[in-house]
Amino acid sequence: MTQASAPTATGTAYIDGRYMPVAEAAIPITDWGYHCSDVTYDVVGVWQGKNFRLDDHIRRFRASMNAFRFQPRETDENIKVILHCCLALSGLRDAYVAMDCLRGRPPAGARYHPAYDRNYITAFAVPWISLLQPDVMARRAHLVVAETVRIPSKSVDPTAKNFDWADLTQGQFEAHDRSADFCVLLAEDSTVAEGPGFNIFVVSDRRISTPVSGVLEGITRRSVIELFGDLGLPIEVRPVPVAELRGADEIFRSIAAGGVMPAARIDGRIMSNDRPGPISRQVHDTFWSRRAEGWHATPVDYAAAETAAAS
């Protein structure tokens, strides 16, 4: 399959050894990956033809697979080639690239138990997805603290990416009902956890903090922590009380599909004159200037990847 014979500018998918236009991608509805949400995944941002921290994402993906006892046939190098091929076949230079590992069904005669299910890899590349509409991007996000509590870490390990999003989805409906853009969930001890797909940073009296536990250890979060070190700004990775979040001078989110995203309001309270504060702006601008310089970038070899996909 090549880009010429199967135009996939809207996106290309890979499922269990085969490439296809993303609109044609499908999995059996009887698989555990579908009806039990038995999936782990990871996401890479591609900007101007360059993957951001690709190796870090692959390592985290493998760690998540190990945590949930997935053993697909593909090696880490195979997965890297698959992602490059999805990009090459679609020709996308600004893209959202996802990789999933799903549990299928046991073969005939085997016990009906996840230990015997087939494990397989899917992936896709689609045009860059902005989590914010242009008007929200201009005014910055409005956040609310949800009443829904984050799933306890002892039940589902948040450091391994998973599809157990019932709590995050419920929190998003709470945000919608309160005319906000995104929710922030708390842990059982009422400290700040995370939001749907993003980590949280809080600035109070120029002290910067981010939650230490009950959260996905985001790759973009790690990058932001690195930036603070480069900028000479101290950051504390520690429990963050909800009162500190609600009383913050500045709040911003870190996420693969967007980088650094400042917020303007929390629970209806206006921060920094309803605009990003100075530290949020500095981190946002530094993040994207570093990205433009090739920071942690892995260029997509479009020609080589397309050849591999066609072979």
Side-chain angles (χ1 to χ4, degrees):
M1 174 179 178
T2 66
Q3 187 175 357
S5 61
T8 55
T10 56
T12 299
Y14 167 95
I15 298 182
D16 201 18
R18 189 167 64 91
Y19 295 91
M20 66 207 72
V22 72
E24 298 176 8
I27 63 171
I29 62 173
T30 54
D31 280 2
W32 285 54
Y34 171 75
H35 71 80
C36 294
S37 295
D38 198 353
V39 181
T40 189
Y41 72 106
D42 219 293
V43 177
V44 183
V46 176
W47 185 51
Q48 297 181 353
K50 299 181 180 67
N51 293 283
F52 184 61
R53 303 195 78 142
L54 176 61
D55 290 337
D56 290 325
H57 281 284
I58 296 289
R59 277 192 290 269
R60 186 175 66 179
F61 186 41
R62 180 62 63 179
S64 296
M65 287 190 283
N66 291 338
F68 291 121
R69 303 192 184 192
F70 285 107
Q71 294 182 327
R73 65 185 179 185
E74 290 88 350
T75 66
D76 290 357
E77 191 59 35
N78 293 152
I79 294 168
K80 189 181 298 186
V81 170
I82 288 166
L83 301 183
H84 279 260
C85 289
C86 287
L87 286 160
L89 289 167
S90 56
L92 297 169
R93 297 190 61 80
D94 297 324
Y96 171 100
V97 185
M99 61 198 100
D100 302 342
C101 187
L102 300 86
R103 227 178 297 276
R105 289 180 63 82
R111 287 178 55 195
Y112 192 68
H113 186 283
Y116 301 95
D117 289 346
R118 184 176 64 92
N119 303 164
Y120 62 98
I121 295 290
T122 71
F124 63 86
V126 294
W128 179 263
I129 300 170
S130 175
L131 294 181
L132 298 180
Q133 295 297 319
D135 62 322
V136 178
M137 186 73 77
R139 65 163 165 78
R140 305 304 179 179
H142 297 171
L143 310 178
V144 296
V145 177
E147 293 183 6
T148 302
V149 175
R150 190 74 173 101
I151 295 174
S153 299
K154 289 184 178 180
S155 298
V156 178
D157 180 3
T159 66
K161 287 179 76 70
N162 58 80
F163 278 8
D164 288 285
W165 269 52
D167 53 347
L168 297 168
T169 300
Q170 185 62 35
Q172 277 299 85
F173 275 108
E174 290 185 46
H176 183 268
D177 291 344
R178 294 162 61 182
S179 300
D181 302 306
F182 296 98
C183 66
V184 178
L185 268 59
L186 305 180
E188 287 186 301
D189 62 359
S190 294
T191 59
V192 177
E194 58 190 350
F198 60 81
N199 294 114
I200 284 284
F201 289 81
V202 177
V203 182
S204 298
D205 297 326
R206 294 191 64 80
R207 294 175 58 219
I208 307 155
S209 59
T210 192
V212 64
S213 60
V215 301
L216 176 71
E217 296 172 354
I219 302 298
T220 308
R221 171 181 179 264
R222 182 192 310 177
S223 304
V224 170
I225 291 172
E226 287 180 12
L227 284 181
F228 279 124
D230 294 344
L231 294 170
L233 297 172
I235 179 168
E236 300 173 351
V237 182
R238 59 170 173 80
V240 178
V242 64
E244 184 175 340
L245 176 73
R246 286 182 165 133
D249 300 322
E250 303 178 42
I251 299 171
F252 63 89
R253 303 171 299 135
S254 62
I255 184 169
V260 176
M261 292 187 163
R265 301 184 184 186
I266 178 70
D267 282 346
R269 184 179 70 84
I270 295 174
M271 300 175 290
S272 303
N273 295 319
D274 222 12
R275 288 293 182 268
I279 291 178
S280 298
R281 288 197 305 271
Q282 183 180 16
V283 176
H284 174 276
D285 294 348
T286 303
F287 178 87
W288 285 107
S289 66
R290 291 283 183 88
R291 290 286 302 272
E293 294 167 359
W295 182 52
H296 291 306
T298 302
V300 178
D301 188 343
Y302 290 91
E306 188 171 349
T307 300
S311 62

